Amino acid sequence: MLIFLIFLLVPQSCSLTQQNGQQAHSVNQQASFLPSFSDYILERDIKIFHPTWSRSSTLIQHYSAKILDQDRSRPKFEVANNNLSKSSQYLMQNQHDLSKEERERLESKIQAEARASRQLDPEKHLHIIYADKDMCVVYKPSGVLCVPGHRRNPSLANLVYDVMCPLIDIDQTVVHRLDMDTSGIVIFALTEVALRQLHADFRERDEVQKIYHALLCGHVATTVGDGEIDLPLERDPTRQPFMRVAIDRRGRDTEEETKLSGSFQRHLNKKPKPSLTTFRVISWEYLEGEPVTRVELRPYTGRTHQLRVHCAAIGHPIVGDDIYGLGGEGSFDAGLTPLQTELFHDRASVELQQRILDKIDKNLCLHAAQLNIRHPISRAPMLFKVQPNF
């Protein structure tokens, strides 16, 4: 008998409950409050789990005090050269010779580094949807790093590691990741066996389905209920380390491109990667009086910033996108030329994008709303859903 597991996250809920009113039994010594498969209520062969928005607090409260005590003993973050990326360090060293645009770019990078270095509170930032001895599924708020990265910034992976105490290294828990400003569902492995199987599933993509929700600037043409965006992507040579739609480089080598560092030049020399996204219009709406479109996005390839670049390329950047939206750090229109942008007739005008930018103070409105996988050990199909807060 095939059992399909469905996990729903309800934002308004404030406590973990089970239909029989009993406490979930232990699945391991560290996480005594987390339910195992046998704790779910079986209804017509579908096991349904309704966790909380912030999750059951019994264990989290115990560990949060411990984690926060450790944080207080750590030195406070200060913006220094060694906290910045190489491109930011270069700008810092030459700050007196920078143009206005370069100064704004440096300021933005420093602010981003400061945000990434903030200490995290498990009570506020760790939202466990599901966990057992093999994996932990969490909701990631916008503005929180998924993984510590090479500068070892505070991240969701750190919180999961501190609370779940797996017997593997923190870097071995990472299955996939979301951008810092993207919210939604993330899975962490708790054993090496689970990590290998989940990596294989995400790599092959046959057993994994991702669905995102987003708010786009402007109204996507009412004649278009759904469609696909099939545009290859490449590293942007003039806006490191961001992406752009791949265009013919013949005759387009600029002085700035010839001055690229060796490491980034290697990225530039790689062939553009095919990238495919499908979309479905959920609703045409107004936000602060300005037209926006709520869409469902499904990536069929996993390129860096794929959804953000593709939406910008069709002339409807994601609301709150400070990289590929108007005035962002990436190339405007995802690097397309004015002639190429004419292929998309219903583009949100620059004036509309500016009004949205001026009137709407929102984080990136991109959310990983649904994730379908198979359990790495039992191979039972599992479906996780979290509604966006925008």
Side-chain angles (χ1 to χ4, degrees), residues 185-228:
I185 303 167
V186 183
I187 298 178
F188 292 94
L190 300 180
T191 67
E192 289 188 31
V193 174
L195 178 69
R196 286 196 295 270
Q197 185 60 60
L198 287 168
H199 270 171
D201 289 345
F202 273 74
R203 184 169 56 250
E204 297 300 327
R205 295 184 174 271
D206 293 336
E207 304 292 352
V208 176
Q209 183 183 67
K210 304 175 186 176
I211 297 178
Y212 291 75
H213 286 186
L215 278 184
L216 307 186
C217 294
H219 281 168
V220 176
T222 54
T223 56
V224 180
D226 53 35
E228 67 177 38

Side-chain angles (χ1 to χ4, degrees), residues 146-160:
C146 255
V147 297
H150 66 275
R151 286 190 286 280
R152 315 313 288 177
N153 284 320
S155 71
L156 200 56
N158 293 95
L159 296 185
V160 170

Side-chain angles (χ1 to χ4, degrees), residues 76-104:
K76 298 296 182 183
F77 170 75
E78 294 181 2
V79 177
N81 263 9
N82 58 2
N83 294 114
L84 299 174
S85 63
K86 288 184 178 179
S87 60
S88 299
Q89 289 182 37
Y90 173 81
L91 291 174
M92 283 285 285
Q93 292 167 1
N94 299 276
Q95 56 183 301
H96 299 297
D97 301 322
L98 299 181
S99 65
K100 179 182 178 181
E101 181 181 356
E102 289 172 327
R103 285 180 179 275
E104 291 175 349

Side-chain angles (χ1 to χ4, degrees), residues 61-172:
Q61 288 177 350
H62 172 77
Y63 273 91
S64 63
K66 171 185 171 183
I67 295 170
L68 291 176
D69 283 343
Q70 293 173 350
D71 288 343
R72 292 188 189 100
S73 65
R74 295 171 182 158
K76 298 296 182 183
F77 170 75
E78 294 181 2
V79 177
N81 263 9
N82 58 2
N83 294 114
L84 299 174
S85 63
K86 288 184 178 179
S87 60
S88 299
Q89 289 182 37
Y90 173 81
L91 291 174
M92 283 285 285
Q93 292 167 1
N94 299 276
Q95 56 183 301
H96 299 297
D97 301 322
L98 299 181
S99 65
K100 179 182 178 181
E101 181 181 356
E102 289 172 327
R103 285 180 179 275
E104 291 175 349
R105 185 175 162 198
L106 175 59
E107 182 180 349
S108 176
K109 286 179 175 290
I110 291 175
Q111 290 174 350
E113 291 293 342
R115 288 175 59 219
S117 300
R118 290 181 304 190
Q119 298 302 325
L120 300 180
D121 179 353
E123 280 290 328
K124 180 179 179 181
H125 299 112
L126 181 59
H127 310 281
I128 296 176
I129 304 172
Y130 169 83
D132 59 26
K133 62 184 178 63
D134 299 300
M135 68 177 193
C136 183
V137 184
V138 301
Y139 160 78
K140 187 190 86 67
S142 176
V144 174
L145 286 175
C146 255
V147 297
H150 66 275
R151 286 190 286 280
R152 315 313 288 177
N153 284 320
S155 71
L156 200 56
N158 293 95
L159 296 185
V160 170
Y161 190 81
D162 288 339
V163 169
M164 301 304 298
C165 302
L167 299 178
I168 55 176
D169 184 74
I170 185 172
D171 292 328
Q172 293 178 297

